[in-house]
Amino acid sequence: MKEKLYTLIIVTENNIGLLNHISGVFTRRHINIRSLTASESKIKNVYTFTIVIKMTNDLVRKVAKQLEKIIGVFKVFVYNDNEIIHQELALYKLPISAIQSGINLEKIVRSHNARVLDIKDEYILIEKTGHKEDTQKLLKELEPFGVLQFIRSGRVAMAKPMKPLDDHLKEKEEAYDYF
Amino acid sequence: MATLTQTIKEKTAVVNHENVSGSEAVVQSLLAEGVDLIFGYPGGAIMPVYDALYQNGKKINHILTRHEQGAIHAAEAFAKISGKPGVVFATSGPGATNLVTGLSNAKIDSTPLVCVTGQVTSNLLGFDAFQETDMIGISMPVTKWAYQITKAEDIPEAFAKAFYIASSGRPGPVLLDITKDALLQTIESFKYEKVRRISGYYPYPKTDMEKIREAANLINNAKKPLILAGQGITISGAEKELEAFANKTGIPVASTLFGLTAFPSKHPLFVGMLGMHGNYAPNIKTNEADIIIAIGMRFDDRVTGDTSKYAIKAQVIHIDIDAAEIDKNIKTKVAIVSDAKKALEKLYSLVEKNNYEDWLNEFKELAKTEIDVIISPNIHPQSESLKMAEVVHLVSELTKGDPIIVTDVGQHQMMAARYYKFMKPNSIITSGGLGTMGFGLPAAIGAKFASKNRDVILFVGDGGFQMTIQELATAWHYKIPIKIVLLNNNFLGMVRQWQQLFFDKRYACTTMHNPDFVKIAEGFGLKAAKVDERKDLKNALSEMLASDTAYLLVVEVEKEGNVFPMVPSGAAVSDMILKP
Ligand SMILES: Cc1cc2nc3c(=O)[nH]c(=O)nc-3n(C[C@H](O)[C@H](O)[C@H](O)COP(=O)(O)OP(=O)(O)OC[C@H]3O[C@@H](n4cnc5c(N)ncnc54)[C@H](O)[C@@H]3O)c2cc1C
Ligand SMILES: Cc1ncc(C[n+]2csc(CCOP(=O)(O)OP(=O)(O)O)c2C)c(N)n1
């Protein structure tokens, strides 16, 4: 079976220990986590982990079920790229000399919909959000200026369907008995 | 760690006390859960709890095993037989790490445990204090839930959660790691409320009627159906429902090692044990069946052999309480994520009365082959030396399915499973998923604590016996009248068998130069005897069975005996072989 990119949105309690547990599900199976983002959600005390992995459909279903078994995990959503809107954030630090290098930095920044976050005596800091390919492309174009530092965040994603998280959680709760 | 409070939603059964220490809160929590027996071993960090136990006098019985591994295996067997979570105490560091094998064993075999470990004072956590081990980190992969308590006020809630989690849904081991300062703090008002629900935990899936109908439809149209019964039946308490379902549909029933007491072995529809060392007929027929109904079993690789050549003609209906087991090893046609009992009750009314006489006769024919080629020569051997099978067979004849049979791991385990005729539910205690040598002796002790009225007979090998042999002292100390049948082949038999079959008889490091087991047992205060001739076997066994104190019978058996039939590792179940 072919490996594909999947985004897992894991909805959990607010509990530090869960990160260890969740990553254990992947490391135990030698699955490389491509990116991981933890965040609060709209609901109080409900957190989401957004994890990007590349694997077969068969395996991703199995892994999702193992994750749902962890006590404190409410629900695991598995999405392919067509089913979500997703973003990553990248920061680029260039030497201040980039401004006078003769190449039009302003034009590059504009054409990529990036923005300048900070300018100091020694450096200039640029920010761009977008898909990985987009932030990577900007990196390539900035390279001639001598990029001092580059960093990219993990993916955050939202599903396209309109169903709110509360409804998903309610549905799940109702599918079970508790004693 | 997050706070506990947010997760508890429904509470019942309130107990109140004022100004209690953390360690007293531990004892009160256990009492509130109805615990009257603990297996454990004291040490620095957990001493306050032992002190509270002492001050509570005889309310809770504590069994001092001779090693923490002994404590946890005893608790596992106690849990299986009593149906209540086994409770274990150990101190921090080495005491706690000695529990890891047992935790892992309990996790894979779905055994409910609540293990309490001491921990260094919370302000020393993470600084390599004396006897500090990151027990939460170590135990997370081998527990259903692991939680560290650093404040006395969290104790009652954490215990309520622990007992609920350990015993609900698919049962499993829970670990509570309590820092010493939490044990010493005072709580103004201790309030114990049992938990009935925790957010983020979904133990009992509601049975989907649509799936039940789909399954019934498949079953009603089946030509060659086969039921695979596993431990889930025992956990669910669905033995009667399974029998009723089988009686109505007329479908043959095969079992896993753990399913052996899910269905009466004398029932005309019982066709034997599945898997590597199971019976011939159910393995061969697995690949001829058109509908397989797997109930509370997880298609372990000892059961399936090569999964790509498993159940090749069948559509599989899988009933399991754990959604993660569905499609994990074997693709299902209809998945019923449910408690076995509930599912069987619902299925019962939708399936038609039927019988499969021809299909059943095919099993009988293969069973006859197995009897002729393997079983008869093993229980009535011509050889001079004793065979494991004849010993188990004779114990079975003498005890008529009444006792609880406990085994260690190895050839004797498979022989016990194959040749003992189980007649009562919940009568076999063994280490299946982990195959933990050393499990047997402490497990036998734990089983006996849970069943004062039934005999407990342990079958053990010379290898595994020596892994937890110190627990003979526990049996003697507490006057636990277990009957131990040591099947001594002076080899690590199961490994030697593989060396014979797959490594050209290169017996690397499997020969055992054994001590005088009779003297050892006598040194521990047990009665003991040895037998090596057939003519003495029955008397020796009868004497053991008649003993009202712990008894070791060493039976010298054939050195290079093998367990057959066998599905060679990596082969298809239908390629099971009857001889080398
Ligand atoms: C040397 C050795 C040889 C072995 N050879 C064999 C062999 O030949 N044959 C064999 O069968 N085994 C053999 N085993 C044991 C094997 O490794 C497995 O432990 C065993 O097959 C598991 O049986 P099981 O699936 O019934 O039980 P478990 O592993 O306990 O699985 C139980 C299943 O039931 C489910 N469940 C739990 N509660 C419920 C409920 N209330 N309702 C519904 N479902 C529930 C669980 O989710 C789980 O999926 C051997 C082990 C050793 C050490
Ligand atoms: C703790 C542990 N170590 C190693 C093994 C591997 N192993 C499985 S069976 C076996 C041999 C058991 O020998 P013995 O206890 O004498 O029983 P027999 O097979 O001879 O009946 C071994 C070493 C194991 N299962 N558990």
Side-chain angles (χ1 to χ4, degrees):
Chain A
M1 235 187 278
K2 234 183 82 198
E3 291 200 339
K4 275 174 39 189
L5 217 54
Y6 291 97
T7 301
L8 271 57
I9 297 187
I10 306 168
V11 186
T12 74
E13 286 202 302
N14 168 19
N15 176 349
I16 281 292
L18 281 175
L19 176 59
N20 216 339
H21 223 137
I22 288 169
S23 68
V25 170
F26 296 96
T27 49
R28 198 179 154 193
R29 294 170 178 79
H30 285 263
I31 299 163
N32 204 357
I33 294 180
R34 303 208 154 196
S35 99
L36 185 154
T37 309
S39 157
E40 292 173 28
S41 77
K42 184 198 82 171
I43 309 168
K44 191 166 173 264
N45 282 325
V46 173
Y47 272 58
T48 54
F49 290 87
T50 309
I51 292 184
V52 182
I53 43 177
K54 193 173 180 183
M55 58 170 74
T56 62
N57 186 273
D58 185 48
L59 191 56
V60 79
R61 304 281 151 201
K62 287 180 187 176
V63 164
K65 285 197 241 178
Q66 294 293 339
L67 291 166
E68 283 213 336
K69 246 170 95 159
I70 299 172
I71 293 170
V73 170
F74 296 113
K75 198 153 170 69
V76 178
F77 298 93
V78 178
Y79 297 115
N80 61 41
D81 279 1
N82 303 328
E83 295 168 306
I84 49 171
I85 310 292
H86 59 94
Q87 285 291 49
E88 286 164 11
L89 178 121
L91 299 177
Y92 312 76
K93 194 196 274 174
L94 307 180
I96 195 73
S97 59
I99 298 177
Q100 296 133 354
S101 64
I103 312 171
N104 194 342
L105 182 62
E106 189 205 332
K107 201 173 147 207
I108 295 176
V109 170
R110 275 182 192 283
S111 68
H112 280 267
N113 269 328
R115 64 183 182 126
V116 174
L117 265 193
D118 193 15
I119 301 182
K120 287 272 148 62
D121 289 353
E122 293 171 309
Y123 66 81
I124 168 165
L125 208 105
I126 296 168
E127 176 209 295
K128 168 163 178 62
T129 49
H131 290 180
K132 186 173 173 182
E133 307 81 69
D134 307 333
T135 53
Q136 195 67 23
K137 209 161 133 203
L138 178 58
L139 178 64
K140 203 138 195 86
E141 286 193 36
L142 292 176
E143 255 159 19
F145 299 103
V147 177
L148 296 172
Q149 218 183 335
F150 167 72
I151 193 150
R152 180 163 45 220
S153 75
R155 174 185 286 195
V156 290
M158 276 189 183
K160 288 178 187 167
M162 248 319 285
K163 190 159 157 178
L165 184 57
D166 312 56
D167 291 3
H168 278 293
L169 296 188
K170 193 147 175 275
E171 226 168 63
K172 169 118 188 219
E173 269 186 21
E174 282 167 0
Y176 289 80
D177 291 322
Y178 295 87
F179 59 93
Chain B
M1 284 284 140
T3 54
L4 274 163
T5 35
Q6 75 199 40
T7 61
I8 299 193
K9 287 198 172 166
E10 276 178 37
K11 301 162 173 181
T12 57
V14 184
V15 179
N16 272 307
H17 291 283
E18 292 195 349
N19 288 324
V20 298
S21 68
S23 46
E24 178 65 23
V26 170
V27 174
Q28 290 303 330
S29 300
L30 293 173
L31 285 169
E33 288 290 345
V35 173
D36 53 13
L37 184 69
I38 296 166
F39 298 92
Y41 211 103
I46 200 167
M47 275 175 69
V49 180
Y50 274 85
D51 192 51
L53 206 56
Y54 186 89
Q55 298 200 38
N56 271 279
K58 293 212 171 349
K59 285 184 215 151
I60 301 183
N61 196 6
H62 179 278
I63 306 305
L64 177 71
T65 53
R66 268 36 176 186
H67 190 293
E68 289 87 353
Q69 186 185 355
I72 192 164
H73 292 327
E76 288 176 77
F78 176 81
K80 288 275 187 226
I81 298 297
S82 70
K84 299 189 289 190
V87 180
V88 182
F89 281 0
T91 195
S92 67
T97 56
N98 275 346
L99 298 181
V100 173
T101 303
L103 289 171
S104 189
N105 194 74
K107 175 93 187 293
I108 201 161
D109 287 349
S110 299
T111 310
L113 295 180
V114 174
C115 299
V116 181
T117 50
Q119 182 55 282
V120 302
T121 299
S122 57
N123 62 6
L124 297 178
L125 283 170
F127 296 106
D128 305 323
F130 178 64
Q131 294 194 328
E132 184 196 358
T133 302
D134 175 9
M135 241 352 247
I136 299 299
I138 287 182
S139 64
M140 196 176 282
V142 292
T143 51
K144 187 172 172 187
W145 189 61
Y147 186 80
Q148 188 170 64
I149 304 172
T150 54
K151 288 192 293 250
E153 67 195 47
D154 284 348
I155 287 173
E157 242 171 54
F159 272 78
K161 270 184 93 173
F163 276 88
Y164 172 63
I165 291 171
S167 50
S168 56
R170 181 176 182 172
V174 164
L175 180 114
L176 293 175
D177 193 44
I178 316 180
T179 59
K180 197 163 179 177
D181 50 333
L183 292 173
L184 297 174
Q185 287 160 7
T186 306
I187 325 176
E188 272 172 30
S189 98
F190 169 90
K191 198 167 159 207
Y192 197 85
E193 303 170 297
K194 281 197 183 180
V195 168
R196 289 299 190 85
R197 180 165 182 174
I198 292 170
S199 73
Y201 175 53
Y202 308 92
Y204 298 107
K206 286 183 181 155
T207 318
D208 181 347
M209 271 318 283
E210 196 47 48
K211 298 285 176 196
I212 296 278
R213 274 188 286 273
E214 276 177 47
N217 191 33
L218 281 183
I219 293 166
N220 290 338
N221 291 301
K223 302 272 176 303
K224 296 182 167 191
L226 178 60
I227 294 169
L228 314 183
Q231 180 166 225
I233 308 264
T234 307
I235 293 171
S236 166
E239 290 92 347
K240 288 218 162 67
E241 287 72 14
L242 173 64
E243 198 173 340
F245 177 76
N247 283 340
K248 184 170 182 190
T249 56
I251 301 175
V253 180
S255 84
T256 65
L257 174 65
F258 279 130
L260 278 172
T261 62
F263 198 73
S265 61
K266 287 259 161 81
H267 195 289
L269 288 172
F270 187 63
V271 294
M273 183 168 100
L274 297 157
M276 180 175 272
H277 287 299
N279 294 108
Y280 194 49
N283 277 303
I284 302 291
K285 292 292 171 189
T286 294
N287 274 351
E288 291 174 26
D290 64 346
I291 298 293
I292 282 181
I293 309 144
I295 313 171
M297 59 84 73
R298 60 183 176 84
F299 294 105
D300 181 89
D301 50 75
R302 294 274 142 148
V303 168
T304 61
D306 181 352
T307 49
S308 69
K309 297 180 202 134
Y310 183 81
I312 46 179
K313 295 184 182 156
Q315 294 188 301
V316 175
I317 299 165
H318 194 176
I319 304 175
D320 202 293
I321 201 164
D322 181 355
E325 291 299 339
I326 308 293
D327 290 337
K328 188 181 82 176
N329 299 331
I330 299 296
K331 264 256 163 279
T332 47
K333 180 75 181 169
V334 180
I336 302 175
V337 185
S338 163
D339 172 66
K341 189 173 181 166
K342 286 189 195 149
L344 281 169
E345 280 169 354
K346 298 206 160 82
L347 257 181
Y348 183 85
S349 53
L350 295 181
V351 291
E352 289 157 10
K353 219 173 148 37
N354 213 333
N355 81 77
Y356 298 91
E357 218 176 299
D358 294 345
W359 172 232
L360 202 59
N361 281 334
E362 292 176 32
F363 283 85
K364 285 190 188 142
E365 256 164 55
L366 293 177
K368 192 172 173 313
T369 309
E370 185 179 342
I371 290 171
D372 293 345
V373 181
I374 296 165
I375 297 176
S376 287
N378 260 286
I379 58 181
H380 307 296
Q382 303 298 313
S383 63
E384 196 178 315
S385 51
L386 287 166
K387 285 183 179 286
M388 286 189 186
E390 67 181 304
V391 181
V392 175
H393 175 72
L394 199 50
V395 172
S396 185
E397 299 269 287
L398 291 171
T399 57
K400 309 226 167 350
D402 194 52
I404 292 165
I405 300 299
V406 182
T407 84
D408 204 78
V409 168
Q411 290 184 311
H412 65 277
Q413 175 188 30
M414 292 296 106
M415 290 305 198
R418 289 179 50 79
Y419 292 95
Y420 196 86
K421 290 273 166 270
F422 295 95
M423 313 285 264
K424 292 187 173 175
N426 206 6
S427 298
I428 182 167
I429 298 290
T430 191
S431 167
L434 208 63
T436 307
M437 283 173 72
F439 172 82
L441 177 57
I445 293 170
K448 188 63 202 167
F449 272 104
S451 59
K452 295 274 174 339
N453 302 326
R454 288 173 80 188
D455 256 350
V456 171
I457 300 176
L458 166 68
F459 290 104
V460 63
D462 45 315
F465 189 49
Q466 292 179 75
M467 282 202 172
T468 46
I469 198 165
Q470 74 284 348
E471 301 307 336
L472 288 174
T474 312
W476 173 72
H477 178 160
Y478 296 97
K479 302 191 171 54
I480 308 304
I482 50 170
K483 315 285 160 68
I484 307 166
V485 182
L486 170 56
L487 296 170
N488 183 19
N489 52 14
N490 292 297
F491 265 115
L492 295 175
M494 182 58 93
V495 178
R496 187 212 53 75
Q497 173 169 348
W498 282 51
Q499 289 171 332
Q500 178 186 341
L501 299 176
F502 313 119
F503 294 86
D504 271 339
K505 278 203 173 191
R506 290 186 298 276
Y507 292 168
C509 313
T510 44
T511 320
M512 298 286 272
H513 291 283
N514 283 319
D516 183 336
F517 290 116
V518 170
K519 266 196 189 151
I520 286 185
E522 285 171 352
F524 276 106
L526 271 72
K527 283 195 245 167
K530 182 164 114 173
V531 59
D532 51 12
E533 286 194 58
R534 188 161 293 121
K535 65 176 174 43
D536 303 326
L537 182 63
K538 192 168 179 183
N539 276 343
L541 286 173
S542 301
E543 192 160 317
M544 174 193 79
L545 292 171
S547 171
D548 49 15
T549 61
Y551 195 108
L552 171 73
L553 181 64
V554 183
V555 186
E556 300 291 332
V557 295
E558 181 184 22
K559 286 191 68 151
E560 298 185 41
N562 286 330
V563 190
F564 274 105
M566 177 174 191
V567 178
S569 115
V573 280
S574 48
D575 292 335
M576 185 172 221
I577 53 175
L578 289 164
K579 48 184 162 229

